[in-house]
Structure formats: C-alpha cells, structure tokens
Amino acid sequence: MSDYEFVKPGMSAHEIVKKVRDSKEVFLTSTAMRDAGQSDYKNRLRIHDFLTLAPLYNEMGLFSAECHGGARWHVGIMNRKENPFEEVRLLRQAMPNVLLQTLVRETSLWGYRPYPPNVVKYAVSHVDIDVWRCFSFLNDIRNMKTVAEVVMNKGKLFEPTISFTDADWATDSYYLGVIDEIVALCGGTSDIILCIKDMAGVGTTKRIGTLIDEIKQRYPDLIIEYHRHMTDGLALPAYLSAAKAGAKIFDVEEDSLVRFYGEPPMLSVEAYFEEAGIHVHLNREIAEEAVLKVREWIGNYEWAESPFRGFDHTVTYHRMPGGAFPSSFEQASKGAFLELMPAILKVMSLYNRIIHYFDVTPGSQITWVTCSGIVNKYAKEQGSTGVKHLIGLLNKFVIEQDQNFESMEKEEQEELLKVLRNATDDFRNLILGQYGQLPNGWPADWVYESTFGDTWHEKRKTRNDLSPVELLKDDNLKRLRSSFEEAIGRNATDEEFVLYLMHPKDAVEYIEWHEKYGEAALVLPTSIWREGLKKPGDKVEFDFWGKPYCVELASIGAEHDGVVQVVLLVNNKTKVYAVQTPHAKKEDKRMAKGANDIPSPVNGTVWRIGNPKRGTLQVGDIVHKDEEMANVEAMKMENVIAAPFTGQILEICVKLNELVQEGQLLFVIDKRVGGKEQGMLPADS
C-alpha cells in the first residue's frame, strides 16, 4: 500500500465517509476523464489517451476519478465509438486502487429525458461504479429516490448533489431546505457525501463560503464536495473560501487540460491550499507527471476546442455551464448561425429570469434549444434588426418593467404571446411538470399562453406536481429488448440493452459500427483515428489482444462515381476496400408541400417511427389526432411528430436513423378514412 492510498474500491460507503471525516487533510477528485472533455473539448477526449494517465492516478492519492457519465456516455457511443462499460473495465485494470465515479441526472440517468423506475433500476444495477454523483436540474430530490435506493442497497457511495446558481430566489434557506430533503432520503449523513454543483461557476467567494458554513452548522458531520467550473475566472478564491468553511473534497483536472470552462488546475489548487495552511492529500510529484503526460497528446484535440475562448465573467448573467459551451458552439457552427451566439447568450440571461431552474443537463439543453430557436426565428424573418428588436422587447419586459405583463404596450403583449409558440416538446413538458417541480414555482400564465396558444387553459390543467418517479409507469422491458434485438439482428447482452435504454438510435448505430470495425476506437492512436493514413507509405502500428499489427496505406485509386479503391497492407497482407467519397450520389430530399404532408420541424435524426404504445407504424395504419407518429432528435432533445388530424398513412417517406432537414417530408396521410372525413369517426375508432 502506497503512502498516498487512502480510500479504494471494495470499501463500504460508511468506511469511506468516516475516513474522510476523520482526516485533517482535504482531498481532490479528478474530473479530467469526464468533465475536462465535456467542458472544453466537445467530449472528444479518447480513452486511448486517458489510459496513459491511469497508472499515475493509481499512485496519486486522489479521492476519486470521475471517468464516467454525463454526456461522455452518449458522445462515447455516438462519436468516439467507445463503450462506457468497456471503459470502466479498462480503467479497473489500469488503476485498481482508485474509486471510479459517475455523474447521473437522477431519473434521466445518462440520457436527456425522465425514465420510469424499472428502467432506472435496471440500468443502475448493471453498471460497476464506486461513487454515484446524482443531481437534479430542478433540485427535486424526489427524483433521486430510485437511484439512491439501488446504489445504497449495493453498498456503493451515493453522492447526492445540489445544483447551485446565484439568483435572488436561490437563498441559503432554499438550499438548506433541499439538503434537509436529501438527508431524510438517505437516512442521515453517515453514508453519503454531499456535492455542491456550481456548474456555471457563478458562486462568489463570499457566497460559497457563507453557504457551506450554514450547511456545516446544521449538519456538522456532513462531508461536502465542491464542484465548480472556472468560467468567471474566480474559481481558486472560491475554492479557498469553501475549504475554510469546511468543504473536504474539491474537483480539479490536470493543469495542461485546463482551458476556460472546466474545473480548476490540480497543481495550482494544491499550491494555493498549502500556502494557506490547508494540507492536500496528493502526491505532488506524481501529479506533475500526469500534467506532463497530458501535454504529449492534448495537441491532437485543438480542433475540438470551443471557438469562444477566454474567461467570461458575464457567465454570471447567462449561466451557460461549461459542459454546454463547446457543444452549443459546435451546433451553432453546423447550423450556420454562429454569428448569433452573442444574441442567444443575451436572450438566455433574460429567459432564466422568467423561468427558474438550473442550467445543467437536461436543463441547459432546454434553455439552449429554446433560446436559440427564438433568436433564429427572428433572424430568419427580420434579420439583424429583428434580433435587436427581440432583445429590446425582452429587456424592457424583464428589466425595465420587472415582468409586469400588464405594463407592456398592447402590441408588445401580443408579441410576447407568440415568442414561445414554437418551443420544443421538452420545454412544454418542463412547464407542465413532466420533469418534476420547478425550484421557484411555475411560470406566469402568459408563458403558458405564449407556448400553447388558444389551448393554454386546458394544457395548464394537465400540469402536475408529481415526480417522474411517481408519474411514469414502468416500461415493458421485455418488449423493448425484443425491438432492440430485432434492430441488431441477434440477442443483446445486458450491457448493450442498457445502452439502448438510454439512447436507442445511437446504441443501434454504435453496435452496427462495432460489428463492422471492431476495436479500432480502442487501439488506433488519436492522430490516426482523427486524420487517417494520408499518403502511400504512411502506416500505423499497434498491439491488439497481445498481437502486433502494422497497417500501411499502399495506394488510393482514381475516383469513379464517387467511389475510390483503397489498398492497405495489413501485416504485409493486401486488403482492398471500396470507399465512398463526398461526391457519391445522394438522393434528393423530398420536402413537405401539401395539406396531407407531415414535415420535420427541425434538422435532426429520425430515431423512432411510431410510438411506445403501439410500436412501429406501417403504411395503411390509421393514426389519431395528436398521436405520436415519429420522433426526431436534434441537439440531444427529442421532438415528437404528432398527427395533425386523424387519418390513414399513405406513405412513410423516411427511414429509421435517417438524417432529415427542417421541412423535409416524413409522412403522407389521408384525411379520409373509410369514406369519412377526418373528425367524423366514431369515438372508439
């Protein structure tokens, strides 16, 4: 046992908590393997490179390594083609003395929508993780119930997490009430660690110190971990304030990974604390080696860094968290509206004063999609003048008139009542209580009218105060597994099924990719993974299952009809592959034009045709008004395509997993069914 080994896998939650509580030192959690990538590199940092840090982590004396969960899970199977289960196995082998930590979004787990209790139980029970950090973007502690029960029954360490922001309603009294609920849920403080998740990095030095002091006065034995992003540039003094108030664990990442939106630098935090007389449990020499190791490969990811660089103290206004910054800029770039980002951030700063919740996943996605959609609509219809007008309207309403709807001019009221009309289903579900209770009450009536139009009274009546834990009925796991296995054409493992439960479309695509390309994502160096072999004579060498391999590019043939023949030498054996180029013939997109045409409302991916209740839809099926016909995923948010009227499906114009663009034709349905006009059907049809 090394001098710095303190807690390790196999210890009970009670043992871990007691050791930390009894120690005079403070401890560090490295978030490098998850949040460094999520906050500054679009989640593109690969396990191939992180494994070079694992032997150092094993000797460094970390409290834990947050290497799992959050958006890393999803982007892993979607872009990096890495299986999160395989990542855990590799890390267990390479750093067996380190507590592995995940980040889960209560009922949403590693996805973006609430899952019913039996899905949550199934998924959590199949994941081998030591520390379960669990947060609610609404601070609705009821939503943590299922995760807490499974994790604590397994004897693993549950880390309930309060989402933090700085707002007039987010008082110490409010947060203490949330913590009271956490302590009641977990049966006390002896087997848990509380995390304060300052995901946007907006907590001032004074504010954080005061809050932690208040918590420690009420719960002296409660171990507190402080997670903070450094976007505002004031993370280190906030950390010191938290430590002096009684926090025991702090989230950091290697100094060489730090950019602008992730956690503070490990070596700097250690030095700052030591100078203040606070001893940090860290093998500084090994930590310095880790910082140098990162420098060997981080240059391969310059392309993934956010174009919005530098510290940003205005984050205290718009509150976009670190994890959302790079991905939002990437989406804006792909959508060709990057120039609108300053306006979107301004609208976000006003929006979050109208509707109160915490901008962390999935809340950050809801905020981003809602506000970017509003700004884009004004830009398309009225250009830059329209965007300036929108900001002026919202600024007058929120700042000048203090959200007094009646004080606005009649024309301004009418415009506000249309601002949210094209909001996504996720926003609609949010204000109807489908995610749980909002932390500072439901929005004003005008928000519902703006969102739902003439039906707002009826829609608001459907709002509920239940948690998804109470609201959602169990899914039919047997039927879901059958659908999944039909899609992949074979029996699925339990781990594959968990991937599917979280992200159906991307799980199927990942499995298809893996069956075609195998372990390429794990063995290829990042430079080759990213750029490939460029010219004849280029080669890459690696070990796979204990056997050395050499792949050399021999030749690239001429292009014919968008296809080239590529010749590779694999361990000196010739292999020939036909590769499609961007010039390969593509089918033209059909756009919706007629009254019976159902268009896609957004650019996205069709991940479901049909709905969970009746399964896949076929040509000839009758659909009823407002029934879900398909679901298009865009910016990690689901968009339900509902039937605008009752009718019969004449044509299904897209395929599962197809990329579609806004306005593209999805279905053609006939209003006449059985010789009768839509709306004239018997009630039980």
Side-chain angles (χ1 to χ4, degrees):
M1 179 174 177
S2 73
D3 293 340
Y4 286 90
E5 185 180 309
F6 187 71
V7 291
K8 60 185 298 184
M11 293 175 63
S12 70
H14 187 80
E15 289 175 309
I16 294 171
V17 172
K18 187 176 187 305
K19 288 202 72 172
V20 174
R21 182 187 295 124
D22 292 345
S23 175
K24 301 298 183 183
E25 301 174 302
V26 298
F27 301 86
L28 302 180
T29 286
S30 174
T31 56
M33 292 185 178
R34 187 197 68 80
D35 211 10
Q38 181 167 335
S39 294
D40 278 306
Y41 301 94
K42 303 173 188 171
N43 266 307
R44 297 311 204 273
L45 302 186
R46 303 173 65 230
I47 190 65
H48 182 277
D49 293 317
F50 279 143
L51 283 172
T52 66
L53 297 178
L56 300 173
Y57 277 25
N58 206 47
E59 303 296 329
M60 197 184 294
L62 295 170
F63 169 74
S64 64
E66 189 170 280
C67 57
H68 185 274
R72 180 169 177 79
W73 172 296
H74 182 212
V75 180
I77 61 172
M78 181 172 62
N79 293 108
R80 301 191 315 274
K81 303 304 180 186
E82 296 171 354
N83 185 331
F85 290 96
E86 185 62 27
E87 283 189 305
V88 168
R89 280 190 285 272
L90 291 169
L91 292 172
R92 287 278 188 223
Q93 294 171 8
M95 50 186 200
N97 296 328
V98 180
L99 295 177
L100 303 187
Q101 181 170 304
T102 190
L103 178 72
V104 297
R105 310 165 182 136
E106 30 101 334
T107 59
S108 297
L109 290 182
W110 304 285
Y112 308 105
R113 62 182 176 85
Y115 299 102
N118 68 326
V119 171
V120 174
K121 290 177 182 177
Y122 185 91
V124 172
S125 66
H126 282 86
V127 174
D128 175 27
I129 287 292
D130 305 304
V131 183
W132 291 75
R133 178 177 289 177
C134 177
F135 74 91
S136 165
F137 81 104
L138 301 176
N139 275 346
D140 190 337
I141 303 308
R142 300 172 302 171
N143 294 356
M144 297 183 183
K145 181 175 183 292
T146 308
V147 177
E149 289 177 349
V150 178
V151 171
M152 296 181 80
N153 285 339
K154 289 171 66 175
K156 301 298 184 179
L157 179 59
F158 185 57
E159 187 172 307
T161 300
I162 60 171
S163 295
F164 175 86
T165 195
D166 191 17
D168 55 4
W169 54 270
T171 62
D172 286 354
S173 177
Y174 162 74
Y175 287 118
L176 287 171
V178 175
I179 295 169
D180 287 343
E181 294 179 37
I182 286 174
V183 173
L185 172 69
C186 299
T189 62
S190 61
D191 294 338
I192 63 169
I193 288 174
L194 175 78
C195 178
I196 298 173
K197 186 174 178 62
D198 188 356
M199 51 276 166
V202 298
T204 66
T205 301
K206 181 179 179 180
R207 179 77 182 87
I208 291 301
T210 300
L211 175 59
I212 292 176
D213 182 65
E214 291 280 349
I215 296 171
K216 293 297 287 185
Q217 286 187 48
R218 182 170 295 190
Y219 296 106
D221 291 336
L222 183 60
I223 302 300
I224 297 175
E225 180 163 0
Y226 184 33
H227 168 94
R228 189 192 202 277
H229 292 247
M230 55 186 298
T231 313
D232 70 341
L234 300 174
L236 262 66
Y239 266 26
L240 184 58
S241 178
K244 289 181 176 179
K248 291 282 286 185
I249 310 172
F250 298 85
D251 286 4
V252 295
E253 58 189 60
E254 277 69 34
D255 301 44
S256 43
L257 277 174
V258 171
R259 294 302 181 263
F260 309 106
Y261 310 115
E263 286 71 53
M266 179 185 295
L267 299 182
S268 299
V269 169
E270 187 267 352
Y272 193 48
F273 278 8
E274 292 287 348
E275 184 176 314
I278 299 171
H279 187 54
V280 181
H281 186 87
L282 182 74
N283 186 327
R284 168 88 189 198
E285 183 179 350
I286 298 294
E288 290 176 358
E289 288 186 42
V291 170
L292 293 175
K293 179 60 67 175
V294 169
R295 297 196 193 282
E296 295 177 6
W297 48 258
I298 194 59
N300 290 319
Y301 298 98
E302 289 181 357
W303 65 274
E305 293 185 37
S306 170
F308 193 76
R309 299 181 179 181
F311 294 114
D312 176 22
H313 194 264
T314 65
V315 71
T316 55
Y317 306 140
H318 60 72
R319 299 171 190 160
M320 179 180 279
F325 248 112
S327 60
S328 64
F329 276 90
E330 181 179 27
Q331 291 158 5
S333 180
K334 288 181 178 179
F337 60 91
L338 191 59
E339 74 282 357
L340 295 177
M341 279 300 298
I344 294 170
L345 293 176
K346 178 61 178 178
V347 169
M348 287 173 63
S349 72
L350 298 166
Y351 166 93
N352 62 33
R353 295 179 65 168
I354 297 172
I355 303 168
H356 303 137
Y357 57 93
F358 301 89
D359 275 336
V360 60
T361 309
S364 54
Q365 278 84 356
I366 295 173
T367 299
W368 159 254
V369 173
T370 302
C371 294
S372 63
I374 294 170
V375 172
N376 268 290
K377 184 175 185 295
Y378 272 79
K380 288 179 180 179
E381 295 177 354
Q382 304 174 41
S384 59
T385 301
V387 174
K388 291 179 181 178
H389 168 75
L390 167 68
I391 292 173
L393 173 71
L394 294 177
N395 193 71
K396 178 180 178 180
F397 173 64
V398 174
I399 307 298
E400 297 175 19
Q401 301 300 328
D402 196 26
Q403 300 190 50
N404 185 339
F405 188 81
E406 298 302 324
S407 69
M408 301 292 284
E409 300 291 334
K410 184 67 174 177
E411 288 184 357
E412 294 170 333
Q413 292 180 11
E414 291 176 354
E415 187 171 357
L416 285 171
L417 291 177
K418 296 178 181 177
V419 163
L420 295 165
R421 193 59 49 85
N422 295 321
T424 64
D425 290 331
D426 295 282
F427 176 81
R428 293 166 185 253
N429 289 336
L430 173 73
I431 63 175
L432 292 178
Q434 299 301 304
Y435 288 92
Q437 289 183 326
L438 269 64
N440 194 43
W442 301 112
D445 284 350
W446 76 266
V447 172
Y448 290 90
E449 187 171 355
S450 181
T451 304
F452 297 106
D454 294 340
T455 64
W456 76 273
H457 279 104
E458 290 72 23
K459 289 292 185 181
R460 192 185 61 178
K461 289 178 183 177
T462 68
R463 186 180 69 198
N464 71 85
D465 294 321
L466 298 174
S467 162
V469 173
E470 306 162 296
L471 182 67
L472 296 177
K473 296 180 180 179
D474 282 351
D475 275 342
N476 186 328
L477 297 183
K478 185 176 181 180
R479 180 169 56 79
L480 286 173
R481 188 161 191 152
S482 177
S483 297
F484 174 42
E485 293 179 340
E486 181 180 351
I488 63 175
R490 61 169 173 79
N491 292 335
T493 67
D494 290 341
E495 291 180 352
E496 289 173 334
F497 186 43
V498 172
L499 297 180
Y500 178 78
L501 290 173
M502 295 296 101
H503 303 287
K505 172 184 73 71
D506 294 308
V508 171
E509 289 183 355
Y510 164 75
I511 288 169
E512 291 174 347
W513 185 94
H514 188 267
E515 289 179 346
K516 185 174 182 180
Y517 297 107
E519 306 298 334
L522 298 180
V523 300
L524 290 179
T526 297
S527 59
I528 302 299
W529 172 258
R530 171 72 178 157
E531 300 179 2
L533 303 174
K534 296 180 178 180
K535 62 183 185 299
D538 285 355
K539 61 183 178 180
V540 59
E541 296 177 336
F542 54 88
D543 287 337
F544 180 51
W545 288 353
K547 180 180 179 180
Y549 280 82
C550 177
V551 179
E552 181 178 346
L553 176 60
S555 66
I556 302 176
E559 181 178 336
H560 296 286
D561 296 326
V563 177
V564 297
Q565 300 294 324
V566 177
V567 180
L568 298 177
L569 297 177
V570 181
N571 286 358
N572 292 320
K573 293 183 178 179
T574 302
K575 304 279 187 178
V576 182
Y577 300 93
V579 179
Q580 286 192 343
T581 74
H583 304 110
K585 187 176 180 180
K586 295 182 175 63
E587 296 182 5
D588 292 333
K589 302 285 188 182
R590 292 175 61 189
M591 307 305 288
K593 298 178 180 178
N596 292 355
D597 293 352
I598 309 300
S600 173
V602 294
N603 297 331
T605 305
V606 180
W607 74 269
R608 181 164 66 208
I609 295 177
N611 58 68
K613 290 185 178 180
R614 67 185 288 178
T616 304
L617 291 173
Q618 307 288 339
V619 172
D621 287 350
I622 294 173
V623 291
H624 299 273
K625 187 177 186 300
D626 296 329
E627 179 182 357
E628 179 181 346
M629 298 184 67
N631 201 301
V632 175
E633 180 190 53
M635 298 182 183
K636 302 179 182 176
M637 294 284 100
E638 299 175 5
N639 297 270
V640 171
I641 313 301
F645 47 77
T646 298
Q648 187 172 33
I649 298 177
L650 298 182
E651 189 176 358
I652 298 175
C653 308
V654 291
K655 297 178 181 178
L656 202 62
N657 299 329
E658 181 176 339
L659 289 171
V660 295
Q661 64 188 62
E662 182 179 347
Q664 183 175 338
L665 181 62
L666 303 180
F667 301 91
V668 179
I669 51 178
D670 189 359
K671 291 185 179 181
R672 300 184 66 88
V673 182
K676 298 183 179 181
E677 285 286 349
Q678 171 268 327
M680 301 294 290
L681 292 169
D684 61 348
S685 294

